Amino acid sequence: MFNRLRFPAKHHQLRVPSSHCPKHTSRLYHTTTPTPIAVAKNTRPDHAVRDEEVTQTAVEGERELILKVMRTIPTQRELRHFLKRYIPPKEVVDSLLRPSHRHIALTKVQGPFVPAQLASVASTLVQLCRLGLTSVVVLENEEWACVQPNDPAEEEALRLSMLRESLAITEAIEKVGGRARPVTSDVFWEPEGGGWNEIKSASEGEQDTPTLRASLDLVQSALRSEQIPIILPIASFPGSIKRPVPANNAMVALCRSLAQPNHVIPASSAILDSTLLPVKLVVINKEGGIPNHEKPGTAHSLINLVEEHDGIVHAYRSTPQWHNSHPTALQNLEMVRYCLALLPTTSSAIVVPCASLPHALISNLITDKPLYSSSLPTNRGGTPHLITTINTSHATVLRHGMSIAYHPSMDSVERPAMTALLEASFGRRLDANAFYERLERRLVCAIVAGGYEGAVIVTGEPAVGEVEAETEVGKYYYLDKFAIAPTSQGIGLTDILWKRMTDAYPDIMWRSRADNGVNKW
């Protein structure tokens, strides 16, 4: 994190203590291109030719995947974080494409898609799997919602349509060198007397927690065979009745079962620590992420659900055109909120349109943050910077997040907790007595995330030459400290705190080295 940041002084020089600035983070560019497999010229059986074509497709896919990973331009810290979490310490390129440790992404594929879109979705799922993120897929199709649940004939036709779609995406995955297995039944069930509480948007009123349950036997079987399970949202009801259910309910039921510590798969499996706990929730659709009322025509880049959920719901209610352009946005928002509440704070979700595949998902996997910073200014000097600062990919990253507290004086600041945060973040001892003595006189506000997982300290400084009493707060807002605990890095706190700070203090100043990446803010 940074300690002192630069702001180009125009008329005044701030009277602030000097300190070391962070080192510039360099970027790593390195690729290794696999050697294509030579094709023999002698005559072979048809099955051998087909196997060779699949192998050649896989090799070409691996070459392209390496390039796509490098195009995400991760910083050294982001790349180290990805390699530490997903890739064991061995040859980087080899392990990048054939990781021995895997994580789970609970994924909803929300159609309908044309064949080219379905091929893009399938290719992306295979590429993520090669990078160590195995998808557990639940299918959804907007056309399925039109079927009346009490009409047996239409239910049977719907089940056949769902089966055809599961076979289509399975075939598309295998065509690009992946492995998949349709799971068409015996996953979801409704307990006796449970009822059916469908997940709806918050604008339709408070909803009870869905009672649908999920069995993981078939999911585990597919994962043991290194296959991507393609699950249909069909549930068994009391009386041996099988009926399609909303995919969002199925996602919550699966997440609840996957999050239970007693659900494991054998140690021989490649799943990290033999656990099925999802590290990501993914929604792939056509409409994109959650629309942003602050920047019309775009989507939220990052949502802190604890703090922003109610405001987003209110904005959606107040914008009727979104009901047509983003008809499932709030349903997805509610489903993600249910699921993330069941998972560790390190887990995240992303809602992404198929038009942004595969770059949006690969970039999020590597960097573990949005494609576009939600805290970047949308204009500088009155000139819009739409391409570089607005979420044109329409992808939204969501985190359960944490509450944000504002402390206008030192009276409410927990000094031991603040000291522990600053020392952990900057990696050195704090001269606490001198530091807090100064803040007693100069503090404007301390913005604290959660239980001191992150903090921003803003002071008021006088300009050189101005005569002000030492006990008075100066009129120039200055960013004195910005710290994120090492254990909370990579969960979106930087963007959340920065946005809160600039909303409250839009004319803040800071200082840093000229080549520090933070200066683009």
Side-chain angles (χ1 to χ4, degrees), residues 65 69 82 86-87 95-99 101-102 126-133 362 365-366:
L65 180 56
V69 170
F82 166 74
Y86 292 93
I87 307 297
S95 61
L96 180 69
L97 299 177
R98 299 171 184 85
H101 289 61
R102 296 188 181 277
V126 172
Q127 291 177 60
L128 292 176
C129 191
R130 288 174 179 160
L131 290 172
L133 188 67
I362 291 178
L365 174 63
I366 300 296

Side-chain angles (χ1 to χ4, degrees), residues 5-119:
L5 302 179
R6 183 173 63 84
F7 184 86
K10 296 183 179 179
H11 304 293
H12 301 282
Q13 180 181 359
L14 294 182
R15 187 169 63 217
V16 295
S18 62
S19 64
H20 296 289
C21 294
K23 295 180 180 179
H24 174 63
T25 302
S26 61
R27 299 181 183 276
L28 177 66
Y29 302 89
H30 178 72
T31 61
T32 301
T33 304
T35 304
I37 296 176
V39 179
K41 296 183 179 180
N42 59 303
T43 303
R44 294 163 305 251
D46 289 343
H47 68 83
V49 174
R50 286 194 299 270
D51 290 344
E52 185 177 271
E53 290 173 349
V54 171
T55 302
Q56 184 66 22
T57 299
V59 170
E60 293 172 355
E62 289 180 353
R63 182 189 301 115
E64 181 61 24
L65 180 56
I66 293 175
L67 295 176
K68 286 173 181 174
V69 170
M70 292 300 103
R71 289 189 194 114
T72 65
I73 317 180
T75 63
Q76 281 188 347
R77 186 177 71 175
E78 291 165 350
L79 192 56
R80 282 197 302 268
H81 177 74
F82 166 74
L83 293 175
K84 181 179 178 181
R85 188 173 192 182
Y86 292 93
I87 307 297
K90 58 178 184 176
E91 292 297 324
V92 173
V93 173
D94 178 63
S95 61
L96 180 69
L97 299 177
R98 299 171 184 85
S100 60
H101 289 61
R102 296 188 181 277
H103 291 262
I104 294 295
L106 183 53
T107 303
K108 184 175 77 165
V109 175
Q110 182 180 329
F113 297 117
V114 299
Q117 293 171 331
L118 190 62

Side-chain angles (χ1 to χ4, degrees), residues 168-297:
I169 191 170
T170 299
E171 182 180 357
I173 288 172
E174 295 185 342
K175 187 175 292 185
V176 292
R179 301 184 66 201
R181 180 193 298 183
V183 181
T184 59
S185 62
D186 299 324
V187 174
F188 305 106
W189 54 279
E190 189 71 47
E192 189 77 36
W196 184 359
N197 299 319
E198 180 179 356
I199 296 176
K200 299 179 181 178
S201 70
S203 62
E204 298 175 84
E206 293 295 326
Q207 303 298 321
D208 295 329
T209 302
T211 57
L212 194 68
R213 295 294 182 262
S215 168
L216 299 180
D217 292 345
L218 296 179
V219 175
Q220 291 174 309
S221 175
L223 293 174
R224 280 196 298 267
S225 301
E226 298 187 359
Q227 295 173 310
I228 298 173
I230 307 297
I231 304 169
L232 291 180
I234 297 176
S236 298
F237 288 79
S240 301
I241 298 173
K242 292 188 176 182
R243 178 184 301 165
V245 294
N248 284 339
N249 288 52
M251 288 284 287
V252 172
L254 268 175
C255 187
R256 184 186 295 114
S257 292
L258 291 169
Q260 296 300 317
N262 58 316
H263 286 307
V264 298
I265 53 181
S268 60
S269 169
I271 302 299
L272 181 63
D273 297 331
S274 300
T275 180
L276 292 171
L277 185 69
V279 298
K280 284 190 183 295
L281 302 172
V282 178
V283 176
I284 301 174
N285 60 20
K286 293 194 294 186
E287 67 190 60
I290 312 301
N292 190 342
H293 60 284
E294 295 179 347
K295 301 170 185 176

Side-chain angles (χ1 to χ4, degrees), residues 302-372:
L302 174 68
I303 293 176
N304 173 7
L305 285 168
V306 169
E307 289 283 316
E308 299 180 77
H309 171 269
D310 293 346
I312 291 172
V313 171
H314 176 74
Y316 192 91
R317 288 175 176 173
S318 306
T319 314
Q321 59 266 33
W322 287 350
H323 303 174
N324 295 321
S325 62
H326 296 77
T328 65
L330 283 192
Q331 285 88 343
N332 284 328
L333 182 73
E334 295 304 308
M335 179 271 292
V336 167
R337 186 168 71 136
Y338 270 119
C339 290
L340 288 182
L342 300 169
L343 300 174
T345 56
T346 52
S347 297
S348 63
I350 181 169
V351 182
V352 59
C354 60
S356 295
L357 298 179
H359 175 70
L361 284 180
I362 291 178
S363 177
N364 176 255
L365 174 63
I366 300 296
T367 65
D368 201 26
K369 62 184 183 182
L371 269 71
Y372 299 87

